[in-house]
Amino acid sequence: MQAKAKYRKDYKAPDFTVSNIFLDFQLNSKKTIVTATSQYKRLNPEAIKLRLDGHSFQFSTIKLNGKDFKHFKQDSESLTLDLSQLKENQFELEIVTILHPEKNTSLQGLYQSGEGICTQCEAEGFRQITYMLDRPDVLARYTTRITAEKSKYPYLLSNGNRITSGELPDGRHWVEWNDPFPKPSYLFALVAGDFDLLKDTFITKSGREVALELYVDRGNLDRAAWAMQSLKRSMKWDEERFGLEYDLDIYMIVAVDFFNMGAMENKGLNIFNSKFVLANPSTATDEDYLAVESVIAHEYFHNWTGNRITCRDWFQLSLKEGLTVFRDQEFTSDLWSRSGKRIEDVRLLRTAQFAEDASPMSHPIRPEKVIEMNNFYTMTVYEKGAEVIRMMHTLLGEEGFQKGMRLYVEEQDGKAATCEDFVSAMERASGIDLTQFRHWYSQSGTPELTISDSYDEQKAVYSLHVSQMTPPTSDQMEKVNLHIPLKIALYDKSGIPLTLENEGKEVNPVLDVKQTEQTFTFTNIHSKPVPALLCDFSAPVKLNYEYSTAQLVTLLRHAENHFVRWDVAQMLYSMELRRNLTRHQQSKTLEFSAEILSELYQVLDHYQQDPELATLILTLPKVTEFAELFKTIDPEGITFVRDFMVRTIAESLKQTLLKVYNEIRLDEYRVTAEDITLRALRNLCVSYLAYTTVGNNIVNKHYSYANNMTDTLAALSAATKAQLPCRDSLLADFESKWQHDGLVMDKWFALQATRPDEDVLLNVMKLMDHPSFNFNNPNRLRALVGSFANQNLKAFHAIDGSGYRFLTDVLIRLNESNPQVASRLIEPLIRFSRYDGQRQTLMKRGLERISELEKVSRDLYEKIEKALQ
Ligand code: TRP
Ligand code: ZN
């Protein structure tokens, strides 16, 4: 294995660049011929070697300035031209490569998806199409000419504007596209196929008309409208909140079934996983609707933060991804519910990102060392990256932040920029010193804030003693102090908010934590207050403060900040889980605090005050969320105790759950904030009631009366989780109805994989042969295998090692067919250090089996090496 690491510190500006590239595709699913004619410029007059990235293509010719050129060396990943004889600093290269889209199961480069052909170039897929300076700081103007059989591929699409087209006598046709904006190769895209097309227009704030085109598989037009509306809302919002307007005359989105990730922001031609486009009431849940809207928004927002301003090198990935996630979060917050969105994002960050930072893959949001770039499209770069942007927003305020954005865009438009360019623009625009704040870019790991307090009744002075510490991570032993914005509030015992002041001066609720230990003092406090700490989750840190149950209850009832009310409910649940896990491990009977149950009852009974918050508070953390509380995870114990908690809540709140269930009436299905909220609460009631004596009856009815996928799936899920008698017939009914629809069947596969039954693994293995399953489709694989390994904590970590063996077998197959997907699926296996010795041994055995393969992909190699080190 000759996997070589690249280091951020080794960045060097390119010796050559490409100003223009003309790509000719003679397209055919079996054999495609690509002729790339590029105008090169020598930037460094000393440079005589031109090294181009590219796979070991079968290729016929290389021409330099129109003449056959022979002075080159080829290896498995590059072509190096000896230009010592060349006097000119500008020259033309013509290279012909031959591709086989049908055989390309990696879904990178040029590949076949269903009946169509498409591309995926980020991060380094363009080098699978032709030889190129495949790095984001080489910006070129692209002209693309596509020729293909007209009956099979009536639509031929690429970036930019459609320039000319024509027909050939042999039944083929061609289209030529030109993208006026210079771009890096990773933003190139091509699509060919037969589609249904939904068209619309958008008038920009300066009055230009933009043609909007949404391409979906034939027969799916009735699932396209929501994505189109989402796109228009995104375009409008970016103009209003960020002052950013779309720049081309056309914006196209194509939905494909075979796709490694969510979607891709190729200039003017976004390519989407169909999961994030298609939605109608009978196939998509409320959650799906919101996910479609946010991914559409995310890719659209990349047009400025990603495309107009791109990354200098891949170590800067968070420059575009962290910022664009922040932007799509703000979009969803502005359109739906700010606190609801915040809670959802924090939930994801705390489980998935914190776990990643505690794993062998721990890295800063701007990594220092990379073997396979695909491995760094992570929770850390995306979600923690967005938190870092959000902290700057908190420190600067909306006005200061927008001033910084304007300066950033003014300075960097049309360029390949760095994270430092962004922070520097924010700093100069606001006048706020971000020197210490910059460590967030270079330091990995989850910082811990430990807080204690003291109160002097005589002087009416209250003090918070805050200390910070970031534990060492696998990639970085030494840690420094960070600049942490800590937003707080104080309440008196009856829940009345107190003014924050010090010696008559008002104190900003966002405290600047910068040192190892700091004390913040508040005066004129006349009784010992209850502190609300880390309001709105003002920093991505762990908080240690010894709350009493009474304090938590005060905050649960009275905190003004919705995030805080949800967060203290999480703490109460965590206390119950911990306490009972210990009892379980000591073979004692479990007990649920009556005080907490009575608080939950109050929340449910008064749901009308705020149905959304009530639903969020009453939703018990998942086993995977509870697991993050522990250094060493007990999969069986956590599952057992959580199950006890669900049943206890269900039993003791049964009458009220029933009352709320019957009270909420939603006849016609509408995707509005109000209806989504009420539906979620009603379905939460179903999920609890399933565990009571009325469960089978209610769930069965809920399923048969459902007029939308949200309710259908809620019933199906409740029946499966509570193992109700009606379960098998409901699962069978759903299967016979949707077996021809892969995206809908994914919901069914995911439920099958998370069944609490003892024989769930056998069931999963059997389903790998189900007619609706397809090993080469990443959505199917993630729904079945991914859900099993990531969500079914107990079965995946079965002490006989069967779960690990199963995943390892899948990974060995995927290592060859699709390494990028393999590398995402391997995650639960490399996190063995969080389990007991017996499980660790079994998990490592799986990793060793993979590493003994003759050819391990770079993607898997990088992770296994880190894990076993
Ligand atoms: N840039 C894409 C996004 O955030 C994600 C992406 C990176 C991607 N690499 C990919 C998508 C490979 C599909 C395949 O939005
Ligand atoms: Zn993105």
Side-chain angles (χ1 to χ4, degrees):
M1 187 75 230
Q2 31 129 297
K4 268 235 225 73
K6 282 190 182 156
Y7 294 83
R8 182 171 73 90
K9 62 174 166 40
D10 292 341
Y11 173 81
K12 277 207 347 242
D15 285 342
F16 297 85
T17 194
V18 180
S19 55
N20 288 278
I21 177 163
F22 181 88
L23 290 165
D24 179 280
F25 286 84
Q26 303 287 321
L27 212 61
N28 183 296
S29 62
K30 289 202 163 49
K31 183 178 170 189
T32 290
I33 301 170
V34 185
T35 307
T37 312
S38 314
Q39 313 304 320
Y40 279 82
K41 255 192 227 155
R42 186 170 2 217
L43 300 175
N44 171 6
E46 320 272 87
I48 51 167
K49 292 247 154 105
L50 171 57
R51 183 187 180 280
L52 302 179
D53 306 293
H55 281 227
S56 39
F57 293 114
Q58 187 193 343
F59 69 99
S60 41
T61 51
I62 301 179
K63 286 184 181 162
L64 176 67
N65 290 331
K67 291 198 200 98
D68 275 356
F69 185 75
K70 294 268 150 46
H71 306 286
F72 63 83
K73 270 201 208 123
Q74 193 190 13
D75 66 22
S76 65
E77 45 194 36
S78 67
L79 179 77
T80 305
L81 288 78
D82 182 345
L83 299 179
S84 49
Q85 305 304 315
L86 185 76
K87 297 212 175 57
E88 303 89 326
N89 283 330
Q90 302 205 9
F91 54 96
E92 179 185 283
L93 270 188
E94 182 192 299
I95 300 178
V96 179
T97 51
I98 296 166
L99 313 175
H100 311 279
E102 201 183 66
K103 288 195 191 143
N104 183 356
T105 56
S106 74
L107 314 187
Q108 306 178 61
L110 185 79
Y111 67 92
Q112 180 163 1
S113 171
E115 298 300 306
I117 293 177
C118 65
T119 54
Q120 172 53 44
C121 294
E122 188 176 8
E124 298 178 330
F126 193 83
R127 61 187 66 184
Q128 299 192 37
I129 295 174
T130 186
Y131 285 110
M132 178 63 174
L133 291 168
D134 190 13
R135 44 187 288 170
D137 58 352
V138 171
L139 309 186
R141 284 198 179 76
Y142 283 68
T143 304
T144 307
R145 185 182 165 118
I146 313 166
T147 307
E149 199 184 312
K150 189 172 182 180
S151 59
K152 242 181 131 176
Y153 307 105
Y155 292 103
L156 303 174
L157 313 175
S158 191
N159 319 86
N161 303 307
R162 206 184 255 107
I163 301 299
T164 47
S165 59
E167 313 259 329
L168 297 175
D170 59 359
R172 292 188 303 160
H173 68 149
W174 59 272
V175 180
E176 198 171 301
W177 293 83
N178 174 264
D179 182 357
F181 293 96
K183 64 166 173 287
S185 50
Y186 82 87
L187 289 173
F188 169 78
L190 171 157
V191 175
D194 191 8
F195 299 99
D196 274 342
L197 170 56
L198 178 63
K199 283 189 174 197
D200 209 325
T201 55
F202 180 82
I203 313 286
T204 69
K205 63 172 180 177
S206 67
R208 279 186 314 103
E209 181 174 306
V210 180
L212 309 179
E213 300 189 344
L214 179 59
Y215 295 83
V216 297
D217 273 0
R218 285 226 173 262
N220 278 336
L221 217 47
D222 65 340
R223 299 194 208 181
W226 177 257
M228 182 61 89
Q229 291 162 22
S230 301
L231 174 60
K232 295 204 285 187
R233 285 195 289 270
S234 309
M235 296 177 85
K236 185 113 196 84
W237 181 88
D238 213 11
E239 292 184 346
E240 286 172 353
R241 174 94 187 257
F242 278 78
L244 297 170
E245 189 175 331
Y246 187 61
D247 50 9
L248 283 163
D249 296 331
I250 179 169
Y251 193 86
M252 295 173 280
I253 294 176
V254 184
V256 303
D257 287 334
F258 289 71
F259 205 69
N260 281 347
M261 311 253 275
M264 180 61 212
E265 70 264 22
N266 316 299
K267 183 77 186 186
L269 176 57
N270 288 181
I271 301 181
F272 270 62
N273 185 328
S274 54
K275 176 180 164 66
F276 294 110
V277 173
L278 304 177
N280 74 21
S282 59
T283 60
T285 62
D286 294 341
E287 242 177 274
D288 293 331
Y289 271 88
L290 295 181
V292 165
E293 187 191 65
S294 99
V295 179
I296 295 263
H298 179 96
E299 305 312 327
Y300 175 72
F301 298 153
H302 267 317
N303 191 56
W304 277 97
T305 52
N307 301 1
R308 288 286 289 255
I309 304 173
T310 191
C311 301
R312 186 192 70 174
D313 56 78
W314 289 120
F315 297 100
Q316 317 294 327
L317 181 61
S318 201
L319 174 71
K320 75 175 176 84
E321 295 303 348
L323 179 54
T324 303
V325 171
F326 171 78
R327 276 151 53 69
D328 82 54
Q329 291 174 346
E330 283 299 294
F331 167 74
T332 304
S333 304
D334 284 350
L335 265 65
W336 299 86
S337 151
R338 181 157 291 272
S339 56
K341 178 63 177 161
R342 190 65 191 133
I343 290 167
E344 173 195 320
D345 292 337
V346 171
R347 233 178 137 178
L348 179 69
L349 191 87
R350 274 191 182 150
T351 46
Q353 198 282 324
F354 283 12
E356 181 170 88
D357 238 341
S359 84
M361 267 299 286
S362 177
H363 55 278
I365 65 167
R366 184 184 56 203
E368 302 292 348
K369 173 190 176 192
V370 165
I371 292 180
E372 170 52 59
M373 192 51 214
N374 282 335
N375 284 341
F376 289 84
Y377 289 79
T378 58
M379 281 290 149
T380 300
V381 167
Y382 277 64
E383 309 303 321
K384 186 177 179 183
E387 292 300 319
V388 171
I389 303 287
R390 184 171 297 282
M391 286 190 284
M392 282 188 263
H393 186 272
T394 302
L395 293 171
L396 273 63
E398 169 73 2
E399 206 183 310
F401 185 86
Q402 290 297 348
K403 232 173 124 191
M405 277 298 297
R406 286 193 292 276
L407 182 60
Y408 171 63
V409 169
E410 188 186 302
E411 291 179 340
Q412 304 298 335
D413 187 16
K415 297 190 189 147
T418 61
C419 296
E420 172 55 29
D421 293 330
F422 181 85
V423 178
S424 159
M426 285 290 155
E427 193 167 50
R428 283 175 288 125
S430 68
I432 291 176
D433 181 2
L434 296 172
T435 311
Q436 188 182 359
F437 186 85
R438 280 173 173 76
H439 294 309
W440 282 104
Y441 281 90
S442 49
Q443 184 158 291
S444 56
T446 307
E448 289 180 20
L449 285 182
T450 300
I451 303 181
S452 61
D453 53 359
S454 50
Y455 179 60
D456 185 332
E457 202 171 346
Q458 242 103 68
K459 295 192 181 130
V461 169
Y462 178 70
S463 302
L464 283 172
H465 314 286
V466 182
S467 68
Q468 67 162 299
M469 192 271 296
T470 305
T473 48
S474 59
D475 64 321
Q476 197 178 52
M477 289 310 289
E478 304 293 328
K479 303 291 181 184
V480 298
N481 283 335
L482 297 165
H483 178 182
I484 300 171
L486 173 64
K487 188 174 168 189
I488 65 148
L490 299 179
Y491 293 88
D492 75 7
K493 276 192 193 61
S494 56
I496 295 170
L498 304 173
T499 327
L500 301 183
E501 57 170 86
N502 190 324
E503 310 295 352
K505 271 210 273 186
E506 219 181 289
V507 173
N508 188 336
V510 180
L511 309 178
D512 287 298
V513 175
K514 294 182 163 180
Q515 298 154 26
T516 310
E517 282 182 30
Q518 256 168 293
T519 294
F520 299 89
T521 308
F522 307 91
T523 57
N524 206 14
I525 305 282
H526 295 285
S527 66
K528 186 168 195 254
V530 180
L533 303 167
L534 209 64
C535 300
D536 286 323
F537 200 65
S538 60
V541 301
K542 287 186 187 165
L543 179 70
N544 306 313
Y545 173 82
E546 300 265 327
Y547 275 115
S548 67
T549 306
Q551 285 180 312
L552 291 175
V553 167
T554 302
L555 292 174
L556 178 65
R557 289 183 189 168
H558 302 292
E560 290 175 324
N561 193 281
H562 281 190
F563 171 80
V564 169
R565 293 187 57 195
W566 171 80
D567 200 25
V568 297
Q570 304 302 294
M571 295 184 208
L572 290 167
Y573 287 133
S574 302
M575 280 165 48
E576 284 307 286
L577 183 105
R578 276 181 194 282
R579 200 164 57 77
N580 278 297
L581 186 60
T582 309
R583 296 182 68 87
H584 174 64
Q585 287 160 347
Q586 297 166 346
S587 303
K588 289 188 185 149
T589 53
L590 307 190
E591 47 177 41
F592 203 115
S593 145
E595 190 184 2
I596 297 176
L597 277 175
S598 116
E599 288 304 315
L600 296 179
Y601 163 76
Q602 291 298 332
V603 171
L604 181 60
D605 200 40
H606 296 106
Y607 78 91
Q608 275 161 337
Q609 286 173 4
D610 189 337
E612 186 192 42
L613 189 59
T615 309
L616 291 165
I617 288 175
L618 291 165
T619 303
L620 206 58
K622 293 189 274 199
V623 276
T624 47
E625 296 181 86
F626 278 139
E628 280 318 299
L629 297 170
F630 303 93
K631 231 179 123 145
T632 302
I633 298 167
D634 172 356
E636 187 275 330
I638 293 173
T639 307
F640 185 86
V641 174
R642 185 186 183 277
D643 193 59
F644 158 78
M645 291 169 73
V646 178
R647 286 170 196 276
T648 309
I649 295 172
E651 209 43 65
S652 56
L653 303 190
K654 183 175 158 191
Q655 291 314 321
T656 319
L657 288 164
L658 264 174
K659 186 193 82 178
V660 175
Y661 177 76
N662 290 318
E663 216 163 77
I664 299 175
R665 296 242 165 253
L666 294 159
D667 297 326
E668 198 193 330
Y669 179 80
R670 292 180 311 172
V671 185
T672 61
E674 199 195 346
D675 282 15
I676 290 180
T677 294
L678 291 175
R679 220 170 1 253
L681 179 54
R682 193 157 184 261
N683 284 327
L684 182 71
C685 293
V686 173
S687 75
Y688 278 118
L689 287 167
Y691 291 90
T692 68
T693 46
V694 294
N696 198 54
N697 196 5
I698 293 233
V699 169
N700 221 339
K701 269 202 207 134
H702 197 65
Y703 185 88
S704 47
Y705 285 118
N707 67 353
N708 62 78
M709 180 52 82
T710 309
D711 290 341
T712 301
L713 194 67
L716 202 61
S717 164
T720 311
K721 302 241 142 67
Q723 298 174 290
L724 295 175
C726 66
R727 175 193 64 189
D728 291 343
S729 69
L730 299 191
L731 281 172
D733 179 77
F734 190 98
E735 178 189 13
S736 69
K737 199 157 164 203
W738 296 109
Q739 56 185 318
H740 301 298
D741 192 307
L743 279 184
V744 179
M745 282 302 281
D746 283 344
K747 303 177 192 306
W748 186 87
F749 282 126
L751 273 184
Q752 294 279 6
T754 50
R755 283 164 79 133
D757 310 45
E758 290 297 327
D759 63 349
V760 56
L761 177 57
L762 276 175
N763 187 39
V764 169
M765 286 169 154
K766 240 181 29 215
L767 290 174
M768 305 271 293
D769 296 320
H770 191 280
S772 311
F773 189 77
N774 177 344
F775 192 87
N776 287 329
N777 185 305
N779 288 350
R780 293 311 89 75
L781 211 53
R782 281 187 285 254
L784 190 60
V785 182
S787 304
F788 175 76
N790 292 302
Q791 310 297 329
N792 200 335
L793 202 63
K794 185 175 155 192
F796 176 65
H797 292 283
I799 199 69
D800 63 358
S802 53
Y804 308 145
R805 269 197 306 280
F806 166 69
L807 181 63
T808 304
D809 292 340
V810 169
L811 291 172
I812 288 173
R813 252 176 101 183
L814 266 183
N815 174 53
E816 284 192 11
S817 64
N818 190 333
Q820 196 181 352
V821 169
S823 192
R824 293 195 164 250
L825 277 182
I826 202 177
E827 279 294 332
L829 211 50
I830 64 169
R831 300 182 181 180
F832 54 76
S833 72
R834 300 286 295 276
Y835 296 88
D836 55 83
Q838 197 178 345
R839 287 188 170 89
Q840 286 200 21
T841 309
L842 293 164
M843 292 169 94
K844 282 189 215 160
R845 197 166 297 160
L847 296 178
E848 282 154 10
R849 258 174 72 206
I850 300 169
S851 66
E852 282 156 14
L853 294 175
E854 204 178 306
K855 261 177 89 179
V856 184
S857 60
R858 291 208 294 180
D859 314 55
L860 289 185
Y861 170 83
E862 180 169 38
K863 291 192 176 179
I864 296 175
E865 190 220 45
K866 281 186 174 166
L868 293 179
Q869 206 169 63

